[in-house]
Amino acid sequence: MGGDTGCGPRPDRVLVVDDEANITDLVRMSLRFHGFDVVTATCGQEAVAAVAEAKPDLMVLDVLLSDIDGFEVCRRLRDVGTDVPVIFLTARDRHADKIAGLTCGGDDYVTKPFSVDELVARVRAVLRRTRRDRPSAAAQTLAFADVVLNEDTHEVARAGHPIDLSPTEFKLLRYLLANPRRVLSRVQILDAVWNYDFDGAYTVVDQYVSYLRRKLAPYGPPLIHTQRGFGYMLREPGGRPGGPGETPGVEGL
């Protein structure tokens, strides 16, 4: 693992993980040219250790590594609550691989061969989005009905019962809590939670809504309702749609 040191405020630090030296060197030099601090790793185990040691602001993570693949690296990080943004960089361009990148907690997906300028733009875009999502001092909690989400501690409770959520489930619930009584399309949810816009990924939204519903269900009636043909809405049990952005025909699940 290698990196830069220096005085003054630290620039954004990017961890580049790839077992191809030519790719690592190209990405490292390009990011440094654009003002980023860069550390590197050449395998999955080294990447996990580097996240704990270097505390990067973002990872550019190859999928095909020599020990464990990048998807598994991302899963392990998410399982222990590490929410460092991840951009997958890989030769895999199948739709199924992009879905896999979404479901394991990735933030973006760039395929090889790639444009260096595009990769730098993606890094900046993901950093902007993740900083926008960070809580402000004045708004550390979101609440609706009997659900409370603490953005500072990442704790969630319903009717006083703690709810254990994955980082992606947490992002989804936060987006719903920030937009109560509004119909949110799958496209809106996909863009807000995953920052993805390619066709066919909407099943990921349905999958994670299902996960979230199951975790909230033991402690009260349904709050997340399906708007047939449109998307999802967070509303009170027994409440009727009809506010701004809402139309009839909602199913509660």
Side-chain angles (χ1 to χ4, degrees):
M1 182 179 68
D4 294 331
T5 58
C7 300
R10 178 173 74 82
D12 288 322
R13 177 170 293 162
V14 179
L15 170 62
V16 178
V17 185
D18 202 304
D19 56 6
E20 296 184 57
N22 59 328
I23 297 294
T24 302
D25 290 343
L26 174 64
V27 175
R28 177 176 53 203
M29 289 187 295
S30 300
L31 290 172
R32 284 178 175 170
F33 176 79
H34 287 278
F36 293 96
D37 181 20
V38 182
V39 293
T40 61
T42 59
C43 66
Q45 298 287 359
E46 193 176 323
V48 173
V51 170
E53 179 183 342
K55 295 179 172 52
D57 299 291
L58 182 142
M59 292 178 68
V60 175
L61 177 61
D62 188 26
V63 173
L64 298 177
L65 298 171
S66 58
D67 51 355
I68 55 176
D69 69 33
F71 294 154
E72 179 60 24
V73 171
C74 189
R75 288 189 195 96
R76 293 186 185 185
L77 293 173
R78 299 301 186 242
D79 285 346
V80 296
T82 302
D83 59 359
V84 57
V86 173
I87 297 177
F88 288 112
L89 181 63
T90 178
R92 292 181 175 181
D93 60 358
R94 296 182 308 161
H95 184 76
D97 292 320
K98 295 180 180 180
I99 294 294
L102 278 176
T103 56
C104 73
D107 295 88
D108 206 344
Y109 196 104
V110 177
T111 56
K112 302 175 183 177
F114 62 93
S115 159
V116 171
D117 289 340
E118 178 190 0
L119 177 60
V120 172
R122 297 282 191 98
V123 168
R124 286 175 169 160
V126 171
L127 285 171
R128 282 195 302 269
R129 179 173 60 84
T130 52
R131 287 201 176 96
R132 180 191 67 203
D133 290 342
R134 290 172 186 168
S136 65
Q140 293 183 349
T141 62
L142 290 171
F144 181 81
D146 56 358
V147 176
V148 178
L149 178 149
N150 189 306
E151 294 189 288
D152 190 29
T153 64
H154 279 211
E155 294 175 325
V156 175
R158 183 172 191 190
H161 300 277
I163 309 291
D164 184 25
L165 299 182
S166 71
T168 302
E169 292 164 349
F170 183 89
K171 289 179 183 179
L172 174 59
L173 180 60
R174 178 173 57 189
Y175 185 59
L176 293 171
L177 289 172
N179 295 276
R181 305 183 191 90
R182 289 184 55 200
V183 175
L184 301 172
S185 71
R186 289 172 175 82
V187 175
Q188 288 174 305
I189 295 172
L190 191 64
D191 182 63
V193 177
W194 287 275
N195 199 35
Y196 271 66
D197 59 3
F198 56 85
D199 293 337
Y202 309 136
T203 55
V204 175
V205 175
D206 300 332
Q207 182 179 357
Y208 272 88
V209 167
S210 177
Y211 294 160
L212 191 54
R213 282 170 166 162
R214 285 202 296 268
K215 291 189 175 182
L216 295 175
Y219 308 110
L223 291 175
I224 304 172
H225 300 265
T226 302
Q227 178 101 10
R228 285 173 293 182
F230 291 93
Y232 297 99
M233 176 173 59
L234 186 72
R235 63 174 173 84
E236 297 89 341
R240 301 182 64 182
E246 300 173 10
T247 55
V250 176
E251 294 178 345
L253 295 177

